[in-house]
Amino acid sequence: MNETERITYLDGLRGILAILVVIAHLSGSITGYSEERYLPNVNIAVDAFFVLSGFVLSRLYLVNSTYGFKKILISRFFRLFPLYILTTFLVFLIYKINNISGGYFPGNNVIEFKTLLVNISMFNYMGFDYIPVLNDPAWSVIVEFWISAFLMYFLIRLPFYGVLITSIIFYFIVFSVGHGFGAKNEEIIGITCGMLRGIAGISFGIALYQIRKKLENSTKYRFPDIIVTLSFIYFICFLTFKTNNYTDISVLFVFFVFFLSDNLNNIIIKILNHSYFQYLGKISFYIYLIHTPIILLISPYLFFKEINSQPVTILFFIIIIIIMGDIVNKYFEQPCNKLFKKN
């Protein structure tokens, strides 16, 4: 593994994960989150995002010696905050309009300015008081911001066994008290299970990076193609079953196999390295954050949103969301990145 080269298949993986989350949320909105919805165990995809962040960010920060605590904080702020704020305002505005027009909104608390202000501060997922996340998928962005901005600097400096034990402890707490990867809003000693999942996943990603770095010059550790392929298939299949118990832990082995794979000739890695999936990976963050406001804006006007029309509806939305993700990237995210680089 060349430290200066990007591990491109992980970008493709990120793109697939974002699309799977979108499919699950679209299906849930169509079916009312009944048993007929697709990918009921999609929560695990969010934990994969946490592991990805731990792996990729530790690689970035440890290679680049200029990344001190201050620069890490600033870089994560400009990476996550602008689009988070934009989509939060948009969802708040949609709920306000729906409240007036008789459309859908989940409750009076989401149209209070207190809720908006707490969402802007990103304190609403710290466990101090329950304030709903306006753009619901953004709860994981809040978690990642606080961890990557304030804990990452210290976590990447832990020895291997220290960061691995940290991951194990937090996963154990979540599974013991919070009932698996599905746990999000439950609180343990004033801290949400979502935050604990984030710490566990990012720590696990850091541990995987440290393992890969130690073994980078060895060919003995490489997993056979069949193991890598079956692990990926198992992960995708696992999303289709609602479990939320200790069997979910088996997915961590999939992460272990896939993140340590270095065989570019593997069929799954070739697929993830395809330009289409690389493109999805490039805009995955925008897809992830904009899909909820798009669903809220467009779904009331669809005539083909019956349960038996799920595939058509989902395909329609995915096309719209991908197009909008590209627009957001070009005309919002890139200007924000240029502003950050100037400063």
Side-chain angles (χ1 to χ4, degrees), residues 43 125 139 174 177-186 193-194 197 244:
N43 297 300
Y125 220 74
W139 74 266
V174 169
V177 183
H179 311 295
F181 287 126
K184 185 174 69 172
N185 297 323
E186 299 92 332
C193 280
R197 283 168 61 192
N244 292 336

Side-chain angles (χ1 to χ4, degrees), residues 4-235:
T4 62
E5 293 181 358
R6 193 176 185 93
I7 305 177
T8 55
Y9 74 84
L10 293 182
D11 292 327
L13 176 62
R14 185 182 288 108
I16 287 180
L17 291 173
I19 293 297
L20 290 174
V21 170
V22 171
I23 290 173
H25 289 167
L26 284 169
S27 180
S29 66
I30 293 169
T31 64
Y33 286 90
S34 69
E35 294 299 322
E36 296 176 286
R37 74 188 189 276
Y38 300 153
L39 305 174
N41 219 13
V42 79
N43 297 300
I44 295 174
V46 178
D47 293 272
F49 278 130
F50 289 141
V51 177
L52 265 169
S53 294
F55 185 93
V56 174
L57 291 178
S58 59
R59 184 168 183 260
L60 171 65
Y61 296 150
L62 290 174
V63 170
N64 194 333
S65 59
T66 64
Y67 273 92
F69 180 81
K70 180 180 178 181
K71 190 165 184 178
I72 289 177
L73 175 60
I74 294 173
S75 69
R76 298 316 291 163
F77 178 85
F78 277 93
R79 176 70 179 94
L80 302 176
F81 199 69
L83 187 58
Y84 166 81
I85 289 297
L86 176 65
T87 54
T88 295
F89 268 112
L90 184 55
V91 171
F92 180 76
L93 181 61
I94 292 170
Y95 284 152
K96 274 285 190 183
I97 294 173
N98 285 354
N99 178 44
I100 296 171
S101 63
Y104 168 78
F105 68 102
N108 290 328
N109 54 350
V110 301
I111 58 175
E112 296 175 355
F113 280 101
K114 173 188 174 183
T115 301
L116 177 62
L117 292 175
V118 175
N119 270 261
I120 292 173
S121 72
M122 285 189 167
F123 280 119
N124 51 323
Y125 220 74
M126 301 298 289
F128 303 125
D129 187 20
Y130 178 72
I131 301 291
V133 179
L134 290 170
N135 184 9
D136 189 59
W139 74 266
S140 62
V141 176
I142 296 172
V143 167
E144 182 175 328
F145 171 75
W146 289 112
I147 297 172
S148 62
F150 292 98
L151 293 180
M152 192 73 184
Y153 179 82
F154 304 101
L155 288 173
I156 59 177
R157 285 161 174 79
L158 289 175
F160 168 72
Y161 287 108
V163 74
L164 181 62
I165 290 172
T166 298
S167 177
I168 292 172
I169 289 173
F170 280 96
Y171 274 134
F172 177 79
I173 294 173
V174 169
F175 276 84
S176 297
V177 183
H179 311 295
F181 287 126
K184 185 174 69 172
N185 297 323
E186 299 92 332
E187 293 184 12
I188 302 172
I189 319 177
I191 303 175
T192 60
C193 280
M195 182 64 69
L196 298 177
R197 283 168 61 192
I199 296 173
I202 288 176
S203 298
F204 190 58
I206 296 170
L208 291 180
Y209 168 75
Q210 293 185 7
I211 294 173
R212 178 159 177 157
K213 184 173 173 58
K214 290 178 181 178
L215 300 176
E216 61 184 355
N217 295 322
S218 172
T219 58
K220 295 180 180 179
Y221 81 92
R222 291 179 179 173
F223 296 98
D225 275 359
I226 188 63
I227 298 297
V228 176
T229 303
L230 289 178
S231 295
F232 183 79
I233 294 173
Y234 174 77
F235 174 74

Side-chain angles (χ1 to χ4, degrees), residues 1 5-17 52 55-56 59 208-209 212 221-223 228-229 232 254-282 284:
M1 176 180 65
E5 293 181 358
R6 193 176 185 93
I7 305 177
T8 55
Y9 74 84
L10 293 182
D11 292 327
L13 176 62
R14 185 182 288 108
I16 287 180
L17 291 173
L52 265 169
F55 185 93
V56 174
R59 184 168 183 260
L208 291 180
Y209 168 75
R212 178 159 177 157
Y221 81 92
R222 291 179 179 173
F223 296 98
V228 176
T229 303
F232 183 79
V254 175
F255 297 158
F256 179 80
V257 171
F258 208 69
F259 280 67
L260 298 185
S261 178
D262 201 25
N263 184 2
L264 298 181
N265 293 318
N266 175 266
I267 183 63
I268 298 298
I269 292 180
K270 280 185 175 181
I271 292 172
L272 294 178
N273 275 328
H274 189 276
S275 58
Y276 176 74
F277 292 106
Q278 290 296 298
Y279 167 73
L280 287 180
K282 180 181 178 181
S284 59

